[in-house]
Amino acid sequence: MNMKLSELFANVPDEFANMEFPSHLATDSRDVIPGGAFVALEGEKTDGHKYIPQAISNGAGLVIVRKGKAPANISVPVIELDDPERDLAHVASRKLRAHELHDIIAITGSVGKTTTRAALQQVLSSRFRIHAPERSFNTLIGCTATIMAMPLETEICILEFGANKPGEIRELSEYFPPTIAILTAVAPVHLEGFGSVEGVLQEKLEITRPASISKIIYNNDNEYLSSAFKYVVKSMGVGENKDADFVISHDTSYNTLPLMSFVVAHRPTQEIARFTARIWGKHNAVPLALASATAHELGMTLQDCADVVGEFQALPGRGRVIILDGGHKFLVDDAYNANPASMRASLETFANVRCSGKVAVLGEMRELGENSVSYHAELSPLLADIEHVILVGDIWREAMKGGDYVFADDWHAALDELKKISEWQGLLVKGSHSIGLEHIVGEFAE
């Protein structure tokens, strides 16, 4: 049962005092569900208070605003807060601490958070009552929304912690202290906010600071993380390195439908299991193995995990393989995000696929700071054996001067260029989310 408004907030009007706080919370008026709460936040580009009428039209049963910004003659209950985002985080923190949970698992990293979370949710759901974000809700308000929707019977809560600038992971860890921390990777992402990869590392390590932490599970193949946790007793490494606690060995044969196959061995006990999954690229073995290692630490066998992972479906935009034309073509939907590490991994996988006629539509990688052009230029050798390469964005133009590529200003132009190519068997679509390459995927997948 959710708590009453009068138990959560001061100065609630008497007529609303016994109203329960809704289990669904949205900051986008388009995401409001009937009876849910709409939180009007002030952002850099827009002010959520402008969209209160739309939220009410979509069925909002409660509106939360900054003090002094409540609209006149509103038809639903309104709560005014000094700082809606943080005041609600305090409420969610109280709810989280009040639950008698088995564990609170928080996942952070430059890449692979959402795939790890989805795999972990699927594996643990075979044994525990799990609650996790419905989407990639990895901000303060996103984690708050996840926790406010958590059912009373939940045994394990899974959260994603993201950050664009210093201090955000620390804040999340203080509001929602995890008992298990998973770190997927440290890579040159959001460098405009962090300044360097070392800055990214320091931010990600904030997830391990709370006294509540009992276990740290990390990608041992990542040089930054392996160095950081080499002598940390409560940490467990996962990766191809032979000194990892959970060692990954690849056995992958690619054809027109990549089927990833790998073995995970728990080095301390010599327990072994073979995993298979229909997901793009051997780099995704790490997220699946991180999820399985965590489940193993919670009492599941590796074989239990492998059985569940065999049914895992990649999320849209994150390594999903879509079969087209009755099996004669395939499209790799890797369009949700891109950074140098994930772009390199995806292109290396594409190079190993045996098919006639490869096409890559690659959006530029954004938020990489002053070295952005060089990060793009370094990928040039991986494009050499792809028959048709369409590069979207000005950064690619500067990085790939003189190359035999087709350049496009946006996804619309890229789609027009793609339609000119009549014969292809494999299509890779990848780029930063803000470019909108998912629209190209939609042209073929729907």
Side-chain angles (χ1 to χ4, degrees):
M1 180 180 293
N2 291 321
M3 300 180 72
K4 298 177 181 178
L5 295 184
S6 59
E7 297 174 311
L8 301 176
F9 309 107
N11 303 319
V12 176
D14 291 341
E15 64 266 35
F16 306 136
N18 291 323
M19 176 181 171
E20 291 184 358
F21 192 92
S23 60
H24 189 274
L25 184 155
T27 59
D28 188 322
S29 61
R30 296 167 295 185
D31 294 334
V32 169
I33 66 171
F38 173 68
V39 185
L41 298 180
E42 298 163 305
E44 295 179 1
K45 298 181 179 179
T46 188
D47 186 345
H49 295 85
K50 297 179 181 178
Y51 299 94
I52 291 174
Q54 289 94 319
I56 295 174
S57 177
N58 288 338
L62 175 69
V63 172
I64 299 171
V65 302
R66 184 174 291 278
K67 189 168 291 184
K69 299 197 72 169
N73 302 318
I74 191 168
S75 60
V76 300
V78 179
I79 300 294
E80 295 186 73
L81 301 175
D82 293 323
D83 184 342
E85 186 174 17
R86 284 166 181 79
D87 290 346
L88 285 172
H90 279 294
V91 171
S93 182
R94 286 167 52 191
K95 176 175 180 177
L96 188 66
R97 295 169 196 266
H99 262 65
E100 295 183 0
L101 292 168
H102 186 290
D103 275 294
I104 301 166
I105 303 174
I107 305 166
T108 195
S110 302
V111 294
K113 291 188 297 295
T114 300
T115 298
T116 301
R117 184 261 298 165
L120 181 61
Q121 182 178 357
Q122 184 163 324
V123 171
L124 289 182
S125 291
S126 66
R127 184 71 59 88
F128 302 95
R129 291 187 291 273
I130 304 300
H131 181 67
E134 61 182 55
R135 296 206 302 267
S136 185
F137 291 162
N138 58 27
T139 62
L140 185 61
I141 193 65
C143 289
T144 295
T146 296
I147 293 164
M148 295 308 293
M150 183 172 65
L152 185 63
E153 66 273 12
T154 299
E155 293 177 307
I156 296 176
C157 180
I158 303 173
L159 300 171
E160 286 186 49
F161 286 1
N164 294 324
K165 60 183 184 296
E168 292 182 325
I169 299 293
R170 171 175 286 188
E171 185 176 44
L172 289 166
S173 299
E174 290 173 348
Y175 278 110
F176 317 121
T179 57
I180 298 175
I182 303 175
L183 293 95
T184 63
V186 168
V189 177
H190 301 305
L191 294 186
E192 292 178 353
F194 295 113
S196 66
V197 182
E198 288 72 21
V200 176
L201 172 64
Q202 292 308 310
E203 180 67 17
K204 300 305 181 184
L205 292 180
E206 291 294 335
I207 198 174
T208 68
R209 307 304 185 200
S212 57
I213 290 288
S214 63
K215 189 72 65 177
I216 300 165
I217 299 173
Y218 67 96
N219 177 359
N220 193 65
D221 291 340
N222 185 264
E223 59 178 323
Y224 299 99
L225 294 178
S226 61
S227 297
F229 295 117
K230 188 173 184 179
Y231 300 109
V232 177
V233 174
K234 58 185 176 183
S235 66
M236 307 285 288
V238 177
E240 295 181 39
N241 291 333
K242 299 307 179 185
D243 61 347
D245 298 279
F246 293 85
V247 181
I248 300 171
S249 302
H250 288 281
D251 177 20
T252 307
S253 178
Y254 298 121
N255 47 43
T256 55
L257 177 59
L259 177 65
M260 181 171 60
S261 175
F262 61 96
V263 172
V264 175
H266 184 227
R267 193 164 54 85
T269 63
Q270 297 186 337
E271 182 183 356
I272 297 175
R274 178 176 294 279
F275 291 70
T276 59
R278 293 191 183 279
I279 187 171
W280 179 252
K282 71 175 189 177
H283 56 286
N284 274 316
V286 171
L288 300 183
L290 285 169
S292 299
T294 306
H296 186 271
E297 292 302 300
L298 292 173
M300 295 180 65
T301 68
L302 285 179
Q303 189 58 54
D304 291 337
C305 299
D307 291 342
V308 179
V309 166
E311 302 300 319
F312 181 73
Q313 298 293 321
L315 297 171
R318 293 179 169 90
R320 182 174 56 146
V321 179
I322 303 169
I323 305 304
L324 305 170
D325 194 20
H328 297 291
K329 295 182 177 181
F330 70 93
L331 184 157
V332 179
D333 173 18
D334 210 10
Y336 184 81
N337 216 336
N339 57 65
S342 67
M343 184 70 82
R344 179 174 293 278
S346 200
L347 288 170
E348 287 175 346
T349 299
F350 203 31
N352 286 315
V353 175
R354 294 191 298 272
C355 69
S356 58
K358 295 181 183 179
V359 182
V361 179
L362 307 176
E364 64 186 15
M365 303 175 289
R366 294 176 173 173
E367 299 183 54
L368 294 180
E370 61 183 13
N371 294 319
S372 180
V373 172
S374 62
Y375 282 125
H376 286 73
E378 289 170 358
L379 296 170
S380 177
L382 295 173
L383 307 181
D385 295 327
I386 301 175
E387 283 86 343
H388 303 279
V389 178
I390 302 172
L391 302 175
V392 188
D394 291 337
I395 303 175
W396 279 122
R397 290 181 188 274
E398 187 173 354
M400 300 296 187
K401 291 177 180 178
D404 186 20
Y405 311 113
V406 174
F407 295 97
D409 292 330
D410 53 31
W411 73 264
H412 298 276
L415 180 59
D416 289 340
E417 294 293 340
L418 180 58
K419 288 180 177 179
K420 296 176 184 178
I421 304 171
S422 58
E423 296 296 329
W424 57 266
Q425 190 175 7
L427 170 61
L428 170 64
V429 181
K430 186 171 181 62
S432 287
H433 184 59
S434 58
I435 297 171
L437 295 186
E438 69 275 8
H439 297 292
I440 291 179
V441 175
E443 285 284 325
F444 292 91
E446 294 179 354

